[in-house]
Structure formats: C-alpha cells, structure tokens
Amino acid sequence: MADYAKKRGLSVAVVEAELVGSECSYWACMPSKALLRSGHALAAAKRLDCAAQAVTGDLYAAHVLARGNSFTSDWKDDGQVSWLESAGMNLIRGPRRDHRRKDD
Ligand SMILES: Cc1cc2nc3c(=O)[nH]c(=O)nc-3n(C[C@H](O)[C@H](O)[C@H](O)COP(=O)(O)OP(=O)(O)OC[C@H]3O[C@@H](n4cnc5c(N)ncnc54)[C@H](O)[C@@H]3O)c2cc1C
C-alpha cells in the first residue's frame, strides 16, 4: 500500500511501533512456511521410491527451529528499512499518536 501510494506521487510516512515488515515477515507467513518446509520435504522424499531408501534419519527440531528463525533475519529489520528509504518513504518509529481532539 505504501509503495503503491508513493509510486502514484504521494508522500508516504510509515509509522511502526515494532519491526518494519510486520507480522508476516517476523512471526507469521515467512517463518511458519520455513518451519513447515523441512517436514514437507522429508515427507515427500519418503513417499518417493528410490529417494525413500536414502532417507535414513529424522528431522532435528533444533535445526528446524533455527531455519525458521533464519527467515526473520534474527528479528532485525535493517533490510526492510533500507528498502523503505530507497523507495523514498519516511519511517517514523514508535506508536501512532492520535492528534484528534476528544470532541471530534
Ligand atoms: C502463523 C501465521 C501464518 C500466516 N501465513 C500467511 C501466509 O502464508 N500468507 C498470507 O497471505 N498471510 C499469512 N498470514 C496472515 C498475515 O500475517 C497477515 O494477514 C498480515 O500480516 C496482515 O498484515 P497487516 O499489514 O494488515 O498487519 P500486520 O502485519 O499486523 O502489521 C501491522 C503493523 O502495525 C504496527 N502497529 C500496530 N499498532 C500500531 C500503533 N498504534 N502504532 C504504530 N504501529 C502500530 C504493528 O507493529 C505491525 O507491525 C499468517 C498469519 C499467521 C499468524
């Protein structure tokens, strides 16, 4: 949305209280798919004759979890901040402040 607005000539400021990239990048879509992928790949190999015989071990939970974490860039958002800046958007860190008057 921010990128869309910027490309159409509007000034964009992104207000973020936590990490730029939000839930999907750090807690949801990306790390969850990275976690699931190891199990899917192993199950697929076990279903395939010839490959199945080569699969002699099981997954190590610690490695699977580390893979999930690696997709979060260790919860650093430097890369996404660089992208925002290169696209000409302003980043304001911290919680949104509501400037409306109480009687509005
Ligand atoms: C386990 C899991 C897996 C998922 N997998 C997928 C998937 O594969 N594909 C898919 O499409 N969707 C997936 N989703 C859903 C997806 O994560 C959400 O739909 C998406 O993140 C919503 O984006 P958003 O920008 O609306 O909200 P968010 O990602 O929650 O972003 C809102 C941002 O606003 C910030 N914020 C909130 N309040 C304030 C405030 N007052 N001041 C300043 N900043 C504030 C928050 O810090 C946050 O960074 C998954 C969700 C989960 C839980």
Side-chain angles (χ1 to χ4, degrees), residues 14-33 36 92-97:
V14 173
V15 180
E16 177 52 69
E18 295 186 33
L19 294 168
V20 175
S22 309
E23 179 181 276
C24 187
S25 301
Y26 304 99
W27 294 281
C29 327
M30 293 176 60
S32 69
K33 300 308 166 296
L36 294 170
I92 302 168
R93 288 206 184 263
R96 177 199 68 181
R97 279 177 295 178

Side-chain angles (χ1 to χ4, degrees), residues 1-6 11-22 77 80-81 83-85 87-96:
M1 179 70 85
D3 191 38
Y4 183 88
K6 182 68 189 169
S11 299
V12 175
V14 173
V15 180
E16 177 52 69
E18 295 186 33
L19 294 168
V20 175
S22 309
D77 63 1
Q80 309 233 37
V81 172
W83 172 79
L84 262 188
E85 290 170 351
M89 293 179 240
N90 298 312
L91 172 62
I92 302 168
R93 288 206 184 263
R96 177 199 68 181

Side-chain angles (χ1 to χ4, degrees), residues 29-92:
C29 327
M30 293 176 60
S32 69
K33 300 308 166 296
L35 286 175
L36 294 170
R37 179 72 187 129
S38 305
H40 287 167
L42 181 62
K46 284 182 172 173
R47 281 196 302 271
L48 187 66
D49 193 24
C50 300
Q53 290 80 351
V55 178
T56 55
D58 213 337
L59 294 176
Y60 289 100
H63 292 180
V64 174
L65 293 171
R67 177 179 152 78
N69 290 350
S70 74
F71 275 66
T72 69
S73 306
D74 289 320
W75 293 278
K76 293 189 186 74
D77 63 1
D78 310 15
Q80 309 233 37
V81 172
S82 298
W83 172 79
L84 262 188
E85 290 170 351
S86 69
M89 293 179 240
N90 298 312
L91 172 62
I92 302 168

